[in-house]
Amino acid sequence: MHPLLGRQEQAAQAGLDPAVYDYYAAGSGDEVTALEAEAAWRAFRLRPRVLRDVTDVQLGVDLLGSRLTSPFVVAPMAFHALAHPEGECATFAGAGRAGALAVLSTRSSRRIEDVAAAATGPWWFQAYGMRDRALTHALVRRAADAGAGAVVLTVDTPYVGRKGRVSGVRISVPDDQYLVNLAQHLVPGSVARESAEQDPSMTPAVISELAEVSGLPVLVKGVLRGDEAARCLDAGAAGVIVSNHGGRQLDRALPSALALADVLAGVAGRVPVLVDGGIRSGLDALVALALGADAVLVGRPLLWALAAEGAAGVTAALDALAEDLRHVLAVAGAARIADLDATMVVGPLQPTT
Ligand SMILES: Cc1cc2nc3c(=O)[nH]c(=O)nc-3n(C[C@H](O)[C@H](O)[C@H](O)COP(=O)(O)O)c2cc1C
C-alpha cells in the first residue's frame, strides 16, 4: 500500500464514528473476498523491459473517446457525507484536480447537480435498477443533463450483501442524505426506501433501456466472468468493470485481480474493461493495466482521504498514486501506459509462506 494511503486511513479511523468506519471498511459474510483483494494483486510478478527511454513518462489513457490524464478513477461509493460535511462535492472537487475521472453513486448524499457544479473534472453516474424504475430513469436523465459522460450500471447487487461486521451497530443514514436525490421523484404515498431498493428481477434488457433513457453509453459494473461480460456486450454494454464490489456483495467471490484475464478474453477488445478492488499502489495499477485493463478504480482509500483531509486529501491520494505509477512504469521500462502488455506480467504465483 502507498504510505500516504495508510496514513490517511489511520487518520480517518481515529476521527470517524467507529460505526461509520466499520460501514465503509466492511465486506460481506466472513470478509474472505474483502480481505483477499490486495494480496491478489501482489501475487503477480513483473518482467521489466530495459534500455527504453523513460525520461518522460505519461499516464494518459483513452476511454470512451475521451483522453484522461490519469488511469485512476474514483469508484462510486455511497454516502460521502458520513465522512465529510461537503460529501461528494468535496470528493469530486478533489478528484478533478488530480486529473481523475470520478463516478457518482446513486446513493450520493449530495444532489447530482451540486456535485456536478463542484466537480473539477469529468465524471460518470452509477445507476442501480431500482424497484421503481422511474426513479432510476429520473436520476440518469438528471445526470446526463448535469454533464455525466456515461452511466455505470451496477449489476452485482440484486440484494445488498449482508455485512457481518456492521450488523450489530448498523448505521442509519439520515433521510436528508438517503433521499437527497430521490425525494422529488417519489410518488406520494410510496415508501421511499422500498421504491429505491435494487430490483432483483433485472435482466440484460436494462442496459439498452438506460442507454436510451440517458442518451449515454452504459458500462456494467460487477462482472467477474468472460461469458457474462459477453452477454452484457450483446445487450449493448459500452464497457465492463471487473469488480466484486469491494467484497461487499458475494463473499468468496473471486478477487478482481484473478477475474480480469477471463473478462478480457470474453470482451476480446470490443469495449473498454476497467477493474477495481484492492488497488492501493502504483504497482497494483501497473499489474492491472499490463494485464489489459483500460483504467482502475479506487474505492475505500478515497473515503479515508476525504474523511482525513477533505477535497485536498482526495487530490493528495490520487496524486500520490499517479506519482507512484509514473515511477514504477519508468523502472519497468514503459514510458506510456500503451507500452504495457501482458507479457510483462507473470502469475499469480502460489503463496510461498
Ligand atoms: C462504503 C462503500 C460504498 C459503496 N457503494 C457503492 C455504490 O453505491 N455503488 C457501487 O456500484 N459500488 C459501491 N461500492 C463499491 C465500489 O464502487 C468499489 O467497487 C470498491 O469499493 C472497490 O474496492 P476498494 O474499496 O478495495 O478499492 C461501495 C464501496 C464502499 C467501500
Side-chain angles (χ1 to χ4, degrees):
M1 178 182 305
H2 189 287
L4 176 71
L5 272 46
R7 286 199 296 276
Q8 288 181 327
E9 176 168 2
Q10 279 177 2
Q13 187 167 13
L16 282 173
D17 174 344
V20 170
Y21 176 83
D22 269 356
Y23 164 70
Y24 285 159
S28 55
D30 297 328
E31 305 195 336
V32 171
T33 296
L35 294 172
E36 266 174 0
E38 297 176 26
W41 294 112
R42 288 198 300 270
F44 289 89
R45 295 293 175 270
L46 298 168
R47 301 172 67 225
R49 296 202 162 93
V50 295
L51 298 177
R52 312 276 160 165
D53 179 353
V54 290
T55 43
D56 170 36
V57 177
Q58 299 285 335
L59 300 185
V61 289
D62 292 315
L63 207 53
L64 293 179
S66 298
R67 185 78 179 161
L68 302 175
T69 53
S70 164
F72 290 102
V73 176
V74 180
M77 288 174 290
F79 310 127
H80 294 203
L82 297 173
H84 187 276
E86 291 164 33
E88 289 78 1
C89 293
T91 313
F92 280 54
R97 289 188 195 116
L101 171 82
V103 187
L104 183 64
S105 168
T106 274
R107 307 296 181 208
S108 171
S109 46
R110 289 289 172 266
R111 292 183 69 246
I112 295 168
E113 293 76 10
D114 295 342
V115 181
T120 51
W123 60 281
W124 295 350
F125 183 73
Q126 177 264 324
Y128 283 122
M130 294 188 259
R131 283 181 190 267
D132 178 353
R133 194 60 59 75
L135 285 177
T136 303
H137 291 181
L139 295 191
V140 299
R141 273 198 205 99
R142 279 173 56 196
D145 288 348
V151 169
V152 171
L153 173 69
T154 300
V155 294
D156 57 12
T157 314
Y159 297 95
V160 175
R162 292 180 185 154
K163 300 173 188 77
R165 186 199 303 215
V166 293
S167 58
V169 275
R170 187 172 286 284
I171 56 157
S172 77
V173 180
D175 271 359
D176 66 345
Q177 292 186 33
Y178 194 91
L179 298 179
V180 67
N181 282 299
L182 300 172
Q184 71 194 83
H185 307 294
L186 288 168
V187 179
S190 64
V191 180
R193 294 193 189 221
E194 280 175 19
S195 311
E197 267 175 14
Q198 283 83 336
D199 173 3
S201 74
M202 278 198 307
T203 68
V206 69
I207 297 170
S208 54
E209 175 190 315
L210 293 190
E212 200 177 306
V213 169
S214 65
L216 294 173
V218 175
L219 298 91
V220 286
K221 172 173 179 281
V223 176
L224 294 169
R225 303 170 51 124
D227 54 358
E228 292 295 293
R231 186 163 160 260
C232 293
L233 260 57
D234 291 346
V240 175
I241 303 179
V242 179
S243 173
N244 54 37
H245 214 115
R248 294 165 73 83
Q249 281 303 113
L250 182 65
D251 195 23
R252 306 195 197 182
L254 201 61
S256 322
L258 302 187
L260 178 58
D262 184 49
V263 174
L264 285 162
V267 167
R270 287 176 283 172
V271 297
V273 174
L274 292 76
V275 65
D276 75 18
I279 300 278
R280 302 290 182 264
S281 69
L283 278 171
D284 298 335
L286 187 153
V287 168
L289 297 163
L291 286 171
D294 291 277
V296 295
L297 294 83
V298 180
R300 293 177 185 83
L302 301 175
L303 288 175
W304 310 140
L306 175 69
E309 299 162 28
V314 173
T315 307
L318 289 162
D319 277 347
L321 286 169
E323 160 52 13
D324 196 32
L325 176 59
R326 202 172 284 117
H327 173 72
V328 292
L329 274 173
V331 180
R336 302 285 181 271
I337 285 168
D339 296 340
L340 296 171
D341 66 55
T343 69
M344 296 181 72
V345 191
V346 176
L349 300 188
Q350 298 298 323
T352 50
T353 52

